[in-house]
């Protein structure tokens, strides 16, 4: 059903449209940490695929067997966590983008009559240039598909039987037009005894015009037209209407956004972005390499021999160092018997 696009009066100012009041718009061992399992394994005992590493603790040598380099952190849980989290988060990201996209409207020209009849019904003789008014109405229709119409009446035509010009304009619309593609502008006036022109005007738009003639645009049009109607020495009634149609015609088909939808979608994106940052930058940190393992060495010796350092007494593995791993002192030379693979098998 048609509804007001706004209006006003000579003595009462202008009022906004009534869009909202009539209808709705449209494994075992250790893992690397980080909260996710890893295929990396370490143990104090040999197992298939493991390499032996030598490290020191409390001035003694120890061995750990692992299928990964114990001196490096495991990047895979963090990568896997990102993938899993992204998969979980993806629907919400899509929903946020969808909300934002749906909040942006690209107006589509109305599929109105290809050769509409432009109603200019001047019952009180205030239209001075009907040809120019019709030209502005035609151009507005060509751009938007909305069919403007102008009817002028006397205050006596409605003020006794109607509580407002808006109600009268509604009846004029449904009486004259059988579709929801028109935009009717009704102007009414009467000359009082003191010479004051008591005029009123009201816009009445069909529901199909709402995606183009939005509440914001209708209200802006109302303010502009009302200002011109107040300047009667400068603009006639028809000139005020024609000029305002010309003023707003270029912007009618521009895309526009629903602020509530955009803010909601952006809020969701920011919220999920913060959650992602917190998880990966604060809460979800990759495993750190143990201090004991930082200086670990791969040890491929078939047999190992321990000796104490002559300076600090710390135990070290013969054949793995040239300086003491505990105090840094130079170690004495040893004579070995090695096998074909170069492993120390006996100290002489």
């Amino acid at each position: 059903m048609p509804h007001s696009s706004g209006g006003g009066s000579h003595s009462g100012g202008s009022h906004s449209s009534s869009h909202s009041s009539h209808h709705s718009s449209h494994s075992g061992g250790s893992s690397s940490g980080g909260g996710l399992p890893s295929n990396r394994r370490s143990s104090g005992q040999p197992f298939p695929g493991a390499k032996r590493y030598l490290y020191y603790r409390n001035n003694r040598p120890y061995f750990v067997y692992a299928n990964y380099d114990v001196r490096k952190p495991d990047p895979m849980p963090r990568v896997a966590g990102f993938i899993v989290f992204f998969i979980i988060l993806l629907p919400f990201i899509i929903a946020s983008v969808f909300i934002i996209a749906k909040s942006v409207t690209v107006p589509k020209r109305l599929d109105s009559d290809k050769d509409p009849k432009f109603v200019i019904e001047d019952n009180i003789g205030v239209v001075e240039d009907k040809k120019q008014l019709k030209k502005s109405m035609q151009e507005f229709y060509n751009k938007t598909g909305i069919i403007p119409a102008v009817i002028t009446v006397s205050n006596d035509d409605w003020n006794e039987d109607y509580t407002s010009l808006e109600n009268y304009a509604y009846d004029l619309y449904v009486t004259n037009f059988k579709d929801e593609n028109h935009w009717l502008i009704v102007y009414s006036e009467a000359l009082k005894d003191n010479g004051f022109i008591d005029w009123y005007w009201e816009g009445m738009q069909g529901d199909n015009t709402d995606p183009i003639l939005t509440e914001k645009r209708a209200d802006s049009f109302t303010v502009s037209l009302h200002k011109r109607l107040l300047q009667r020495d400068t603009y006639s009634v028809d000139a005020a209407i024609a000029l305002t149609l010309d003023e707003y015609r270029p912007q009618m088909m521009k895309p526009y956004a629903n602020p509530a939808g955009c803010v909601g979608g952006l809020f969701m994106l920011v919220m999920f972005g913060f959650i992602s940052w917190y998880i990966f930058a604060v809460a979800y940190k990759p495993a750190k390499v143990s201090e004991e393992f930082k200086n670990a060495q791969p040890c491929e010796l078939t047999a190992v021999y321990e000796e104490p350092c002559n300076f600090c007494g710390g135990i070290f593995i013969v054949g793995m160092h040239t300086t003491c791993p505990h105090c840094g002192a130079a170690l004495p030379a040893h004579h070995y018997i090695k096998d074909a693979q170069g492993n120390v098998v006996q100290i002489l």
Side-chain angles (χ1 to χ4, degrees):
M1 302 300 289
H3 50 279
S4 173
S5 64
S9 65
H10 195 177
S11 56
S14 62
H15 64 265
S16 300
S17 59
S18 57
H19 283 65
S20 59
S21 62
H22 284 77
H23 71 291
S24 299
S25 304
H26 6 103
S27 92
S30 63
S31 66
S32 63
L36 291 173
S38 172
N39 60 357
R40 305 204 319 175
R41 178 186 173 192
S42 63
S43 174
Q45 300 296 325
F47 61 89
K51 179 184 290 188
R52 182 171 59 176
Y53 289 86
L54 167 67
Y55 67 97
Y56 292 90
R57 182 177 67 213
N58 299 327
N59 290 333
R60 292 199 57 83
Y62 291 89
F63 294 97
V64 62
Y65 296 85
N67 61 358
Y68 63 95
D69 191 337
V70 298
R71 300 165 295 181
K72 298 178 180 179
D74 183 8
M76 287 310 297
R78 191 171 178 85
V79 174
F82 176 79
I83 294 173
V84 171
F85 186 75
F86 182 76
I87 292 174
I88 295 174
L89 190 64
L90 186 60
F92 298 97
I93 295 175
I94 294 175
S96 302
V97 174
F98 180 77
I99 290 174
I100 295 174
K102 289 292 290 183
S103 300
V104 177
T105 300
V106 180
K108 182 180 179 182
R109 187 181 183 278
L110 294 186
D111 186 17
S112 302
D113 295 338
K114 292 184 178 180
D115 188 21
K117 177 183 178 183
F118 295 100
V119 175
I120 302 176
E121 185 180 320
D122 182 20
N123 297 297
I124 54 175
V126 293
V127 175
E128 299 179 0
D129 192 345
K130 186 174 182 179
K131 182 178 180 180
Q132 180 58 46
L133 176 57
K134 184 176 181 180
K135 180 177 180 292
S136 296
M137 294 164 64
Q138 174 79 56
E139 291 175 348
F140 191 88
Y141 160 79
N142 292 342
K143 182 77 171 181
T144 65
I146 297 174
I147 309 170
V150 176
I151 298 179
T152 68
V153 296
S154 168
N155 292 352
D156 294 336
D157 293 332
W158 59 271
N159 58 15
E160 290 186 4
D161 298 324
Y162 292 88
T163 57
S164 67
L165 180 59
E166 179 179 346
N167 294 333
Y168 180 68
Y170 176 90
D171 278 358
L172 283 179
Y173 187 106
V174 297
T175 299
N176 286 274
F177 313 116
K178 305 305 179 184
D179 59 34
E180 297 290 334
N181 296 348
H182 281 75
W183 185 14
L184 172 63
I185 297 176
V186 179
Y187 174 85
S188 172
E189 71 173 38
L191 183 63
K192 291 190 173 182
D193 293 339
N194 59 2
F196 178 78
I197 301 178
D198 185 25
W199 55 260
Y200 302 80
W201 75 276
E202 191 72 34
M204 192 63 54
Q205 65 181 101
D207 281 354
N208 292 345
T209 68
D210 287 0
I212 300 173
L213 186 57
T214 63
E215 183 173 1
K216 182 178 180 180
R217 290 172 176 173
D219 290 345
S220 182
F221 179 93
T222 294
V223 171
S224 187
L225 175 56
H226 195 80
K227 286 181 178 179
R228 287 191 171 99
L229 289 175
L230 288 172
Q231 301 175 59
R232 190 56 54 87
D233 293 340
T234 304
Y235 306 106
S236 62
V237 173
D238 54 294
I241 297 173
L243 288 171
T244 311
L245 286 173
D246 292 342
E247 177 187 356
Y248 283 88
R249 181 182 69 250
Q251 60 184 275
M252 284 293 170
M253 304 306 292
K254 293 181 179 179
Y256 58 89
N258 177 353
C262 286
V263 170
L266 287 173
F267 174 79
M268 291 174 64
L269 284 178
V270 170
M271 180 180 67
F272 294 134
F274 175 79
I275 292 173
S276 301
W277 169 82
Y278 180 81
I279 288 177
F280 290 102
V282 180
Y284 187 83
K285 296 180 179 179
K288 294 182 178 180
V289 176
S290 169
E291 290 295 328
E292 297 171 339
F293 290 170
K294 283 185 176 180
N295 297 316
Q297 295 175 273
C299 182
E300 298 180 357
L301 298 176
T302 303
V304 293
Y305 297 90
E306 298 179 358
E307 278 193 11
C309 174
N310 294 330
F311 294 92
C312 69
I315 306 301
F316 64 91
I317 299 298
V318 175
M320 293 293 296
H321 314 281
T322 58
T323 60
C324 176
H326 308 295
C327 68
L331 296 176
H334 292 81
H335 299 284
Y336 319 105
I337 295 177
K338 298 184 179 181
D339 60 15
Q341 286 74 39
N343 298 313
V344 176
V345 295
Q346 185 178 354
I347 298 178
L348 300 178

